[in-house]
Amino acid sequence: MSGTELAAHLPLLGGVLYLPACQSSRSNRELAPGWLVARADLAPLLQTEELRASSMIGADGPREWIDCLDAGGAFCARLHLLPDTDYLAWDALLACGTPLPAAPVCPGEVACKAAIAELLCFRTTRLASLKVLDTLPLGRLSSLGRGIARDVARAAAVDLAPGSGA
């Protein structure tokens, strides 16, 4: 799935936990034609060429996330499903991609070298003939969602952004 296809689906998800790659981990590719980002840390989403869905069972139940990888297979960003995320939109996002053959799982194969963890909602707007990927602060969040966000941020060794509801 291309970054532009991903960006078009992100607003449907509602609240998610977003972990963008560290600046040093990001490639300096230009954005897709016709797109802008309102914040520099959203650019990795538009550089996405592949989504890799993963899941695990934690103490508080199942956890699911998507790693966004660029054309070279480098980590761009991670999106975590929360109890407050629209599950149907999450499934539809994954269904829009082209499935690839399952690759052997190697621990640490995709390292989440994130700069920060932030609870947010995505939105797209238009600015003249350009599409703009932007965010909105996450409104209400369940206590389970807050707990999962704190645990994920701690496991990724990053701070949960102030104002992220946790």
Side-chain angles (χ1 to χ4, degrees):
M1 175 177 286
S2 72
T4 57
E5 291 171 306
L6 174 63
H9 284 86
L10 290 174
L12 303 173
L13 297 176
V16 296
L17 181 64
Y18 176 56
L19 293 95
C22 293
Q23 191 70 12
S24 62
S25 302
R26 297 183 196 159
S27 64
N28 290 324
R29 283 185 24 205
E30 293 191 22
L31 294 178
W35 281 86
L36 295 174
V37 290
R39 303 172 13 185
D41 66 345
L42 299 178
L45 292 168
L46 290 173
Q47 296 170 351
T48 298
E49 293 291 329
E50 180 181 331
L51 300 179
R52 189 169 296 170
S54 301
S55 62
M56 64 171 270
I57 304 297
D60 48 13
R63 292 195 186 168
E64 193 170 337
W65 64 93
I66 297 171
D67 284 324
C68 302
L69 309 174
D70 67 14
F75 175 77
C76 293
R78 181 171 283 177
L79 300 166
H80 266 270
L81 175 76
L82 298 171
D84 311 272
T85 305
D86 185 326
Y87 283 58
L88 294 176
W90 183 270
D91 289 343
L93 169 66
L94 294 175
C96 288
T98 303
L100 299 172
V105 177
C106 300
E109 181 181 324
V110 176
C112 177
K113 296 177 184 171
I116 195 165
E118 185 177 4
L119 292 161
L120 50 76
C121 296
F122 292 98
R123 73 175 177 168
T124 56
T125 56
R126 292 196 70 74
L127 179 64
S129 64
L130 299 172
K131 295 176 189 168
V132 181
L133 180 61
D134 198 356
T135 63
L136 296 168
L138 188 59
R140 296 180 55 201
L141 183 65
S142 67
S143 58
L144 179 57
R146 281 192 299 276
I148 289 171
R150 280 193 302 266
D151 292 348
V152 168
R154 188 174 21 253
V158 296
D159 292 325
L160 189 58
S164 281

